Amino acid sequence: MKKILIVDNDSGMCQLMTMAFEYAKFEVVATGSLPEVSKLVLDDSFDALLMDFHLGAGESGLSMLTRFSESGMQMPFWLVTGTPHDQDALKVLELDGCQGIIAKPFVILELITQVNDIVSA
């Protein structure tokens, strides 16, 4: 079973994506806890990561993904954001493993297909 990590400080968004990906037969771990995210990424058992851009608490998805990428994270990831044209958000496209930016609102079935295509390749 494919395993995905979803990081978003909006619990409703975590619930929506969790339900949809579980229905698509993914094992899902969703969290808004920034300290937990670092531990989970180091676990290295995930096939993909969906990271929110605006995480709150002075942290951005870009800064976390940059740190993870610099420390050798190998899993493919997407940045999910309501501000897809933000100059800082666009910097994520330069990171190894980045599969793109997902603009909110999005069609959940299209997102699942996109993730599934990458993790099943």
Side-chain angles (χ1 to χ4, degrees):
M1 183 179 286
K2 300 163 288 251
K3 189 173 179 183
I4 187 168
L5 175 59
I6 297 170
V7 180
D8 199 309
N9 63 333
D10 178 340
S11 62
M13 184 60 69
C14 280
Q15 288 175 339
L16 168 72
M17 289 197 288
T18 296
M19 288 187 317
F21 275 95
E22 284 177 346
Y23 184 78
K25 306 295 186 220
F26 278 78
E27 181 180 343
V28 179
V29 175
T31 185
S33 166
L34 302 185
E36 184 180 16
V37 173
S38 296
K39 293 176 191 170
L40 289 168
V41 167
L42 292 175
D43 177 17
D44 200 31
S45 68
F46 294 94
D47 297 302
L49 167 64
L50 293 172
M51 174 74 74
D52 185 34
F53 180 47
H54 300 285
L55 294 171
E59 190 70 76
S60 76
L62 173 65
S63 62
M64 294 193 84
L65 289 167
T66 300
R67 283 195 308 275
F68 298 153
S69 183
E70 289 171 351
S71 66
M73 179 181 76
Q74 298 296 313
M75 80 178 103
F77 62 86
W78 289 259
L79 185 70
V80 182
T81 180
T83 57
H85 302 293
D86 181 292
Q87 290 303 310
D88 285 334
L90 292 171
K91 292 176 184 175
V92 76
L93 298 172
E94 301 168 10
L95 299 176
D96 287 340
C98 181
Q99 303 302 307
I101 297 173
I102 305 298
K104 292 179 186 175
F106 52 83
V107 176
I108 192 72
L109 294 176
E110 290 176 6
L111 176 59
I112 291 168
T113 298
Q114 193 176 124
V115 172
N116 194 49
D117 287 350
I118 294 296
V119 301
S120 296

